[in-house]
Amino acid sequence: FSPYNQLVEEFECIDGKPISESPLYDPENPYTNRDPRLYKTIGINGLTVFKGKLYISHPDSSAVKYQDQVTRRPWSGYLLHKFSDGNYTGPITQYGGDFPMIRYAEVLLSYLESCIESGTPVTKDLLDVTINKVRGRAEIQMPSVTEIDPVKLTTILRRERRVELAWEGLRLYDLFRWRIAHNNLKGTFTGMKVCPASQAATYKTVKVDAKGYYFCEETNFRENVDYLWPIPQSERDVNPNLTQNPGY
């Protein structure tokens, strides 16, 4: 329940452009002018309010406390805000709210993906009844997608699935289905922005990268191993004809 900055960076600016392209993006104020879904999904230090309380997670607010969290569990400084129920007052372990197993947004985005994959010509009408219906609903109102080139649209669609369906249990299956987990689940992962880039080299409370983002962890998803699980030895003992998957 501690989102990484790699997810945060996927949310576009309010002009409908990714942060790598939008003139509205300020690297030193990365949480302004962003897709409204960012604020609905992620708890952000100094911005998110829940039950009348401002979320404060900057490590300098309690250096000992947050350093202790770093050593005990994965900590990014971000909070999962999606599905938080501000009206619930009972014990957290007894919460009985329903969790949606599938939403209409997923149906629309999946339909668009199937059209692209099957070679169906992409038209404005198709975009308007799928991805633009997701982006254009009243509480979001992000600019419409106009790209009809299948290759470029696939990039847009995959980003849309990631931000719209974040934390709904689909991301890993998408990465496996697209066979890109070995690219996306490999490397250094960071958390919240802790300090300006100009101060990163001298910041000492927690480890940060050159841009001032908290350093979380490194992962190494192995392309030729980790798409498959190991076959349990107990099963191989029962059936000696079973082999083992590569890498185990």
Side-chain angles (χ1 to χ4, degrees):
F1 298 97
S2 189
Y4 287 150
N5 192 56
Q6 281 68 17
L7 170 60
V8 173
E9 290 182 333
E10 287 290 271
F11 289 85
E12 299 170 348
C13 289
I14 54 175
D15 58 4
K17 297 179 180 179
I19 62 173
S20 59
E21 301 176 9
S22 175
L24 299 178
Y25 180 69
D26 179 357
E28 294 305 325
N29 295 283
Y31 311 120
T32 60
N33 298 319
R34 302 291 292 277
D35 183 333
R37 289 173 292 187
L38 171 60
Y39 314 116
K40 295 176 181 292
T41 305
I42 308 294
I44 300 172
N45 172 65
L47 287 179
T48 301
V49 176
F50 183 65
K51 291 189 174 182
K53 294 183 179 181
L54 182 65
Y55 176 57
I56 300 295
S57 63
H58 196 286
D60 288 340
S61 66
S62 179
V64 175
K65 176 181 177 181
Y66 285 105
Q67 186 61 46
D68 181 54
Q69 278 203 344
V70 171
T71 59
R72 288 190 293 113
R73 64 174 71 88
W75 175 87
S76 70
Y78 294 123
L79 182 74
L80 178 61
H81 189 47
K82 193 173 192 177
F83 301 127
S84 298
D85 186 348
N87 296 318
Y88 180 69
T89 58
I92 191 171
T93 56
Q94 297 179 23
Y95 180 67
D98 293 327
F99 183 89
M101 297 304 296
I102 185 169
R103 292 194 295 116
Y104 189 41
E106 182 190 348
V107 175
L108 296 177
L109 296 177
S110 296
Y111 177 67
L112 177 58
E113 181 181 345
S114 69
C115 288
I116 296 173
E117 294 295 328
S118 65
T120 301
V122 178
T123 64
K124 179 181 181 301
D125 288 342
L126 177 60
L127 295 175
D128 286 345
V129 298
T130 54
I131 190 170
N132 289 336
K133 182 171 286 189
V134 175
R135 293 167 64 89
R137 62 192 192 272
E139 68 272 27
I140 304 302
Q141 296 186 339
M142 284 292 288
S144 296
V145 172
T146 59
E147 182 60 65
I148 62 173
D149 177 81
V151 175
K152 295 179 180 179
L153 181 58
T154 293
T155 298
I156 295 171
L157 173 63
R158 291 182 177 184
R159 181 169 63 242
E160 187 72 18
R161 281 188 68 91
R162 186 175 188 184
V163 301
E164 173 65 32
L165 304 174
W167 242 265
E168 296 185 31
L170 299 170
R171 176 64 175 169
L172 184 63
Y173 298 103
D174 282 350
L175 294 177
F176 274 46
R177 179 160 51 87
W178 299 329
R179 197 72 182 186
I180 60 173
H182 59 284
N183 295 322
N184 291 64
L185 300 181
K186 185 175 184 179
T188 301
F189 290 81
T190 56
M192 65 176 285
K193 187 169 181 63
V194 172
C195 65
S198 60
Q199 300 175 13
T202 58
Y203 187 80
K204 300 300 182 183
T205 306
V206 293
K207 186 177 180 180
V208 298
D209 67 7
K211 296 180 180 180
Y213 286 89
Y214 169 67
F215 177 87
C216 287
E217 66 173 344
E218 292 184 355
T219 63
N220 183 26
F221 187 98
R222 300 163 295 177
E223 180 177 5
N224 298 320
V225 176
D226 294 325
Y227 282 104
L228 301 175
W229 285 359
I231 298 174
Q233 185 60 49
S234 58
E235 297 296 329
R236 298 183 66 200
D237 291 340
V238 173
N239 184 356
N241 293 318
L242 285 176
T243 58
Q244 183 56 277
N245 284 325
Y248 294 105

